[in-house]
Amino acid sequence: MLEIIEVQHRDLGEFIKLPFSLYADDPFFASPLIRELKAHFSGKNPFFRHAEAKYFLARKAGRNVGRIVSCINRHHNEFHGEQVGFFGFFESINDPAVSGELFNRGSEHLAKQGMHVLRGPMSFSTNEECGMLLEGFDEPPMLMTPYNPPYYNDLCEQYGFVKVKDLFGYIHEVTDSLPEKILRVADIAVKKGITVRPIRKAKFNEDMMIFKEIYNSAWQKNWGFIPLTDEELHYSSERLKQIAIPDLILIAEDQGAPVGFLGMLPDFNVVLRQMKGKLNPLTILKALFHSKKIADVRLLLLGIREEYRNRGVDALLYREGFRGLRKGGYKRVESSWILEDNVPVQRIIEMGNGRLYKKYRIYEKPL
């Protein structure tokens, strides 16, 4: 009764829409627009200039009950000197037979291509959503963070996956003021000539190239890091520009030279939950109405050039970002994701009264 089919172009709509049926009664589920997903899974996504993927759909008794993507990211393997294949966009009913066959098909494809390890979930890489939600199911997911039922982790473990890395998400309440220690450290950076400015919407692409330069420099030693290409940056920037708030995306400079970057985005999932993947006059009206109700933001990017660390740049970015939060009337900030072994960043977040509230897990299994 169970069959696994390789998705062809004609089946892509079914592949994309599967989560809408699996999460039909889940008030926390939020999906990008279907038309954006169709582009994301196609050759329009510059990720596929250095990667290849196969999509599989599980059907049981004529009903779609699961899906998976198996992917080879040549950019990752060249950068890290590995032969790793990835899985992502995994969804399944609570049935080890279904998930097991999906993992089997993904593994077979990757093993034939000479991969030694299956790792995931990555959708599609560490520059996008990654990890399986492990803890924090009582809070809805924020923009561009994973969401899944708790049993997904059981399905992974039953198949033989083991933990390779945990990722943390912290939540902060936006209070009336920052801790005195952060303000003192920020003042040190100011005295050393460091300045902070918001991005310019009129020169958005130019400022995003500055971000790419800092990101690729500051994150290059992080586990799983893959440098962003110009094409990937432009692709992502076009998608994010419409919801970007300049006061929440900041560049730190030393005599005009960029040395740090902080990026926060409003939690647009509040709107996407109402749109349910559709773009039409009614959902546009819903988007306009519910966008005014966004109270949370996600801090998803913080990078400081290595030679400028421990000089107060991060504290200065926090201070200026805090002013943007207060100006916008936001109530909470999620900082995610943070590597489980990135203790210095965790301590900075805890200094700002952030508390650990979500964990995500990345699994792997030898092929």
Side-chain angles (χ1 to χ4, degrees), residues 207-238:
D207 281 348
M208 286 299 97
M209 289 300 291
I210 291 173
F211 153 71
K212 182 182 81 77
E213 180 185 347
I214 296 172
Y215 175 79
N216 285 347
S217 170
W219 282 50
Q220 62 181 318
K221 295 181 181 179
N222 276 13
W223 180 89
F225 167 79
I226 309 169
L228 274 172
T229 66
D230 290 352
E231 293 82 4
E232 288 173 313
L233 178 75
H234 179 72
Y235 174 76
S236 298
S237 297
E238 289 300 307

Side-chain angles (χ1 to χ4, degrees), residues 64-89:
N64 294 328
V65 293
R67 73 177 193 183
I68 199 170
V69 172
S70 64
C71 173
I72 298 172
N73 185 341
R74 295 188 299 275
H75 200 170
H76 172 97
N77 286 338
E78 289 165 5
F79 189 83
H80 291 280
E82 298 180 314
Q83 287 294 97
V84 173
F86 296 92
F87 77 90
F89 302 98

Side-chain angles (χ1 to χ4, degrees), residues 14 26 58 118 128 150 222 272:
E14 293 183 57
D26 191 331
L118 174 60
E128 302 178 55
N222 276 13
L272 294 174

Side-chain angles (χ1 to χ4, degrees), residues 264-318:
M264 297 185 284
L265 290 173
D267 180 24
F268 207 69
N269 272 2
V270 171
V271 173
L272 294 174
R273 285 187 193 96
Q274 304 301 318
M275 299 182 76
K276 301 186 186 303
K278 301 174 183 176
L279 185 64
N280 56 46
L282 178 59
T283 60
I284 291 173
L285 287 175
K286 286 184 176 181
L288 292 172
F289 176 75
H290 286 278
S291 63
K292 300 173 183 177
K293 296 185 176 184
I294 297 175
D296 298 339
V297 303
R298 181 183 172 214
L299 170 57
L300 67 162
L301 298 164
L302 174 64
I304 313 293
R305 287 188 182 277
E306 188 170 7
E307 62 269 30
Y308 280 86
R309 293 171 191 167
N310 302 313
R311 294 173 63 176
V313 178
D314 47 3
L316 182 57
L317 284 166
Y318 273 129

Side-chain angles (χ1 to χ4, degrees), residues 37-107:
L37 287 171
K38 287 181 177 178
H40 199 57
F41 287 115
S42 76
K44 295 179 181 179
N45 185 344
F47 173 77
F48 292 111
R49 294 177 190 174
H50 55 79
E52 58 186 69
K54 287 187 180 293
Y55 310 155
F56 299 101
L57 193 61
R59 287 178 178 160
K60 189 174 185 179
R63 184 169 68 98
N64 294 328
V65 293
R67 73 177 193 183
I68 199 170
V69 172
S70 64
C71 173
I72 298 172
N73 185 341
R74 295 188 299 275
H75 200 170
H76 172 97
N77 286 338
E78 289 165 5
F79 189 83
H80 291 280
E82 298 180 314
Q83 287 294 97
V84 173
F86 296 92
F87 77 90
F89 302 98
F90 170 78
E91 304 285 357
S92 176
I93 61 172
N94 192 2
D95 184 343
V98 173
S99 59
E101 284 304 307
L102 285 168
F103 289 137
N104 282 342
R105 285 298 296 274
S107 297

Side-chain angles (χ1 to χ4, degrees), residues 8 32 36 61 63 78 104-105 133 150 218 236 239 245 253 255 267 277 339:
Q8 306 300 325
E36 288 188 358
R63 184 169 68 98
E78 289 165 5
N104 282 342
R105 285 298 296 274
L133 181 62
S236 298
R239 301 167 72 200
I245 307 295
E253 298 176 329
Q255 306 299 319
D267 180 24
L339 288 167

Side-chain angles (χ1 to χ4, degrees), residues 115-361:
M115 300 299 105
H116 301 156
V117 174
L118 174 60
R119 183 181 297 164
M122 302 281 185
S123 305
F124 280 105
S125 75
T126 52
N127 292 327
E128 302 178 55
E129 288 186 18
C130 53
M132 200 81 81
L133 181 62
L134 181 70
E135 295 179 14
F137 295 95
D138 55 340
E139 293 257 16
M142 290 204 192
L143 183 69
M144 297 166 59
T145 62
Y147 181 67
N148 52 265
Y151 69 79
Y152 277 26
N153 294 281
D154 297 331
L155 295 176
C156 286
E157 291 176 3
Q158 288 169 23
Y159 187 72
F161 282 106
V162 296
K163 166 192 166 180
V164 62
K165 189 71 70 174
D166 279 353
L167 315 174
F168 292 171
Y170 287 81
I171 196 73
H172 320 236
E173 305 293 332
V174 178
T175 55
D176 292 335
S177 62
L178 284 172
E180 189 62 32
K181 185 174 182 179
I182 290 180
L183 297 177
R184 287 199 309 270
V185 175
D187 286 340
I188 293 172
V190 172
K191 291 175 182 177
K192 291 181 177 178
I194 305 298
T195 58
V196 170
R197 66 170 176 85
I199 60 161
R200 302 161 294 183
K201 273 292 187 80
K203 296 184 177 181
F204 192 79
N205 289 337
E206 181 180 326
D207 281 348
M208 286 299 97
M209 289 300 291
I210 291 173
F211 153 71
K212 182 182 81 77
E213 180 185 347
I214 296 172
Y215 175 79
N216 285 347
S217 170
W219 282 50
Q220 62 181 318
K221 295 181 181 179
N222 276 13
W223 180 89
F225 167 79
I226 309 169
L228 274 172
T229 66
D230 290 352
E231 293 82 4
E232 288 173 313
L233 178 75
H234 179 72
Y235 174 76
S236 298
S237 297
E238 289 300 307
R239 301 167 72 200
L240 297 177
K241 183 178 181 180
Q242 36 195 324
I243 63 172
I245 307 295
D247 286 336
L248 301 181
I249 305 179
L250 308 173
I251 298 172
E253 298 176 329
D254 182 6
Q255 306 299 319
V259 299
F261 191 98
L262 180 146
M264 297 185 284
L265 290 173
D267 180 24
F268 207 69
N269 272 2
V270 171
V271 173
L272 294 174
R273 285 187 193 96
Q274 304 301 318
M275 299 182 76
K276 301 186 186 303
K278 301 174 183 176
L279 185 64
N280 56 46
L282 178 59
T283 60
I284 291 173
L285 287 175
K286 286 184 176 181
L288 292 172
F289 176 75
H290 286 278
S291 63
K292 300 173 183 177
K293 296 185 176 184
I294 297 175
D296 298 339
V297 303
R298 181 183 172 214
L299 170 57
L300 67 162
L301 298 164
L302 174 64
I304 313 293
R305 287 188 182 277
E306 188 170 7
E307 62 269 30
Y308 280 86
R309 293 171 191 167
N310 302 313
R311 294 173 63 176
V313 178
D314 47 3
L316 182 57
L317 284 166
Y318 273 129
R319 189 188 77 181
E320 298 307 304
F322 176 78
R323 290 174 177 173
L325 293 169
R326 294 281 293 169
K327 180 179 177 181
Y330 295 103
K331 304 300 183 185
R332 300 193 311 169
V333 182
E334 176 183 301
S335 297
S336 64
W337 42 266
I338 313 297
L339 288 167
E340 63 177 332
D341 46 10
N342 192 345
V343 177
V345 170
Q346 293 172 30
R347 294 296 172 263
I348 292 170
I349 291 171
E350 290 164 359
M351 189 193 308
N353 298 318
R355 62 178 174 85
L356 181 63
Y357 91 130
K358 287 183 184 287
K359 290 184 181 180
Y360 309 92
R361 178 157 292 176

